[in-house]
Amino acid sequence: MSRAMQCQSCLPWGTWMQLRRSLPGSRGTRSVYLCAASVPGAAGSYFLRKILRASSISLPRGCVRYRGGSQEHSVQPSSSRHGLSQLRNVASSDAIKKHKKSLSAWFSHQPNEERQFGPSFSLDAVHVDPVIRESSLEEILKPSPDLTIQNQLQQPCSQVISLQNLFDVDACGRQVKNVVLYGTVGTGKSTLIKKMVVDWCHGRLPRFELVIPFSCEDLSHSHAPISLRRLITKKYQHLQDVVPMLGASNLKVLFILNGLERLNLDFRLAGTELCCDPKEPVPPSAIVVNLLRKYLLPEASIIVTTRPSAVRRIPGKYVGRYAEICGFSDTNLQKLYFQMRLSQPGCSGEDSVGSSSGEQENLVEMLSRNLERHNQIAAACFLPSYCWLVCTTLHFLYFTRTVPPSQTLTGIYTSFLRLNFSGEVLDSTDPTNISMMKYVAKMVGKLAYEGVMSRKTCFSEDDLQQCFEVEMKTESELNLLEVFRNDVFRFFLTPCVQPGKEHTFVFTIPAMQEYLAALYVVLGEKKTLAQRVGKEVSEVIGKVSEDVAVVLNIISKVLPLRFLPVLFNLLKIFPRYFSRLSGKNRDAIAHTMAEELFKEEDYYNDDVLDQINSSILGMEGPIRHPDEAPDDEVFELFPIFMGGILSRRNRAILEQLGCSIKNLAAFEIAKAMKKTVIRNSRKGLPPSELMDYLFFLHEFQNERFTAEAIRSLRTVNLSSVKMTPLKCSVLASVMGTTCHEVEELNLTSCNLDTSSLRILFPVLLRCKALHLQLNSLGSDACKEIRDLLLHDKCVVSNLRLYFNDISEDGKRALHSLRMDRDGVRALVFLTAGTDVSDYWSNILNVVQRNLPFWDRERVRQHLALILQDLESSRRQTANPWRKAKFLRVESEVKKMLGKLQHGTL
């Protein structure tokens, strides 16, 4: 009997049951022997007593008897039902409750990038389940159809399956035990698993009594033999009392194996031996293979997540169901995601909940309209990862109010790649073990860079072949390319939605093309043939010269031959020569960055922040006709991303992704770029281009470089640039690197309000001449302006505030500030109560001089209001001299209005 019990752990479940039925005297003792075999010795006695104590059940004294160092249990047939119920109590034990609490805390933890959505943000609050489609091995193996947006978004509805139904019986009525859940990078596999675990912890997945998740990346780092029991308790200490019961009870267990592509599994018997004993130490990969074979814990359910290229590593006979994660193939899911993300309390980071919630609702509405137009963004948001990027970018654009801004745009894109590619190897079976991001930077970065240089955003299949396949020479390179096409391609490139271009590809998010092009250049991947060959030869000679140096030193002591030192120096010449070539390469990178930053053909485009906003929320107005010639493509983010990638924080993140940029390289690039950038910035940039330049300095995150660049700016003209809170924060942050006085700051027609003045307050103090006309400054701004002008560090001597909605009281308060007393001349309005402002001629002259650059319609509206104000003030005054003065100014305003309406001004 004892030998049969010892063999229980070495036989499959069905064989063991057949053996037990053939043993004499086994009736009535079946459940007891299962317990004793699973928990031998004193540990088994302790665990059984613990269960009985927890369930308030006592056994007669004769039910437990000891034989030597082991113990054997016998229970009367009448108490067999109690034994089963005691085993079932494991599911509700304190150990599993602690396990649930621990898992919930771990899997509910969000990365740092999520903290921007406010303290109320949680996985439960904003998760939207992606579409899951039931598939088959035959469908996976057959050639995929043409990759068009129609094929992506039109999946057969009859094959859709929910997460809760993955383990339902299959079409043949067989119970499904092993499920393979696959999807390309960015479809939401890991997030879905996290949500699944959290649901189980909160009682929303009652099918399973115990869930044990494993990271295959974690398992791949260890090759030392370990038993399944030890592996579980090593990861989850709370399960020490539960693990001995696995396989010995009817406990419904679910194993989750996330990221199976990280493991090299061999299902051949010659490669991985059979093992059915949870106590036997074997390599972690062997544990996974035997779990999937159903040779180890055959009653356990298993869900595996993997990328498409690794699905075939598991033989089809061991898989009960294949399911593909299709992302947000329904645009309604995309809208729901945006609604939940952007409407979270505290998302805007403001105390004024009313105004911020209105702005949040407006953003969601504009996004929804853009999705309904079937814009390119709908194709991008097919992947939940890009929905996250869209929300994070909008949060950065609309809700950044701190100085300095807590993030950079480059940092958002770098963190986005870290969230999706951290620790990812393209193919774990390839000996090069190249990181996925390094491969992307080399291959996709080349395509992105060539597109930027040729002003091209649409790529044909021939373009892809020329870029990806032209240098393929070995079997290994072709295999890596195949894995890339299956797993990663659709993350960066998606079918174009423009009519007539359905079979061409564009980058999923336009800015991603510029980011990857910048990464390609900064990593030094853009090399000539001589540079590539020279680097390889230099590395070989450099390694050889170290070994040869030792030999030559020994020989020179024995045989004093004169030619040996000459030979030794010759070996050192080539590496030194190549280091000079590397220096020239860094100069070329700096030259490319400076040249792209100040391209004159881009001088009068919108600034880059407005361009990003339009690419996400769309342009309001009529849709372009398909036959209409498109505007020239703009790539102004390319040099800005180059600078941002060189910042210390982004280089540290890219280092984790396998893309190393050395400190010395970053220093030399900045040094080579400084003179060119400062010289070009002094030429007098248009307002939108100057805003781009300031944003570049913010992204560069190099305070010393920024201080030198800003010190050379004596006048700052940002007129007609829509100064959002983010742009105000960028201006305040960049200008804050120095303390020098600014001769003139022109913020005319910039949509400034009172909150903008608060953000810019330290900058405004240092400006001698301030242009704040044609803004949205109301009565509440007067206090801020007066505090500014009366500040002991204020150097403002000329302030222009006309064409703002300032009240009469506010105008009088600001007019009371005089040059002789307060050191400031405030040009507020044409009227001052029942008198005309002393500066009315100055105001009208400035309007006439700047009219070509201002919004004419807005100026016309303001002049009409001024005319009404002049006529009203003239009627109020009884002084004939003042009436004449009013009439004179009225005639000047009417003359200007007439010329404006006829287009002669």
Side-chain angles (χ1 to χ4, degrees), residues 548-793:
V548 173
V550 177
V551 177
L552 290 178
N553 285 332
I554 295 172
I555 294 176
S556 62
K557 292 178 181 177
V558 180
L559 300 173
L561 301 177
R562 296 180 180 178
F563 71 89
L564 290 178
V566 177
L567 179 61
F568 179 62
N569 289 329
L570 285 174
L571 287 170
K572 292 183 176 180
I573 287 176
F574 194 85
R576 288 174 183 171
Y577 176 71
F578 180 74
S579 66
R580 293 181 182 177
L581 286 178
S582 300
K584 290 184 178 179
N585 186 40
R586 288 163 188 162
D587 289 344
I589 293 173
H591 177 74
T592 300
M593 196 184 309
E595 184 181 11
E596 292 292 325
L597 188 61
F598 298 104
K599 271 196 171 182
E600 291 189 9
E601 56 262 41
D602 296 332
Y603 268 16
Y604 296 100
N605 298 323
D606 291 339
D607 62 80
V608 291
L609 293 174
D610 283 349
Q611 292 174 28
I612 295 170
N613 185 65
S614 299
S615 70
I616 294 175
L617 298 180
M619 297 290 291
E620 296 294 337
I623 300 175
R624 182 191 300 277
H625 191 274
D627 297 332
E628 186 179 344
D631 295 332
D632 291 336
E633 300 293 348
V634 178
F635 295 99
E636 294 181 87
L637 269 174
F638 169 55
I640 293 174
F641 277 143
M642 287 178 71
I645 287 171
L646 289 172
S647 71
R648 185 180 298 275
R649 178 181 178 274
N650 287 319
R651 284 189 286 118
I653 297 175
L654 288 168
E655 182 77 34
Q656 300 172 19
L657 298 175
C659 301
S660 178
I661 303 169
K662 302 300 182 185
N663 287 333
L664 181 61
F667 173 77
E668 290 181 348
I669 292 170
K671 183 179 178 182
M673 183 180 59
K674 186 182 296 181
K675 290 183 179 178
T676 307
V677 167
I678 293 176
R679 184 175 65 251
N680 287 331
S681 67
R682 287 174 178 167
K683 293 180 179 179
L685 300 172
S688 62
E689 194 69 16
L690 179 58
M691 188 67 240
D692 290 346
Y693 176 57
L694 297 174
F695 188 59
F696 165 80
L697 295 175
H698 164 68
E699 293 286 311
F700 197 30
Q701 294 287 291
N702 186 324
E703 191 169 337
R704 183 180 298 176
F705 183 98
T706 301
E708 287 192 46
I710 289 298
R711 205 172 286 119
S712 65
L713 293 178
R714 290 296 174 181
T715 62
V716 179
N717 181 12
L718 294 173
S719 62
S720 300
V721 173
K722 185 180 179 181
M723 294 298 291
T724 62
L726 171 61
K727 293 177 190 176
C728 291
S729 299
V730 168
L731 176 60
S733 174
V734 170
M735 297 293 290
T737 57
T738 68
C739 298
H740 78 287
E741 291 183 3
V742 180
E743 295 294 330
E744 183 179 8
L745 175 60
N746 191 343
L747 295 173
T748 304
S749 190
C750 290
N751 292 92
L752 296 178
D753 57 15
T754 307
S755 62
S756 305
L757 295 181
R758 293 192 190 106
I759 295 173
L760 292 172
F761 195 89
V763 179
L764 303 180
L765 285 173
R766 295 158 41 198
C767 301
K768 293 182 180 179
L770 267 179
H771 297 259
L772 300 178
Q773 60 267 31
L774 272 170
N775 282 294
S776 303
L777 301 176
S779 302
D780 54 345
C782 292
K783 181 181 182 302
E784 299 292 332
I785 295 169
R786 188 173 178 81
D787 291 346
L788 168 73
L789 297 176
L790 298 179
H791 196 280
D792 56 353
K793 292 183 179 180

Side-chain angles (χ1 to χ4, degrees), residues 90 134 165 222 239 243 287 358 378 388 423 479 504 532 556 576 649 705 735 792 831 836 874:
V90 173
E134 189 166 1
N165 301 124
S222 175
L239 298 180
V243 164
I287 292 176
W388 181 91
N479 290 339
T504 62
R532 283 198 296 268
S556 62
R576 288 174 183 171
R649 178 181 178 274
F705 183 98
M735 297 293 290
D792 56 353
T831 59
V836 179
R874 176 168 51 84

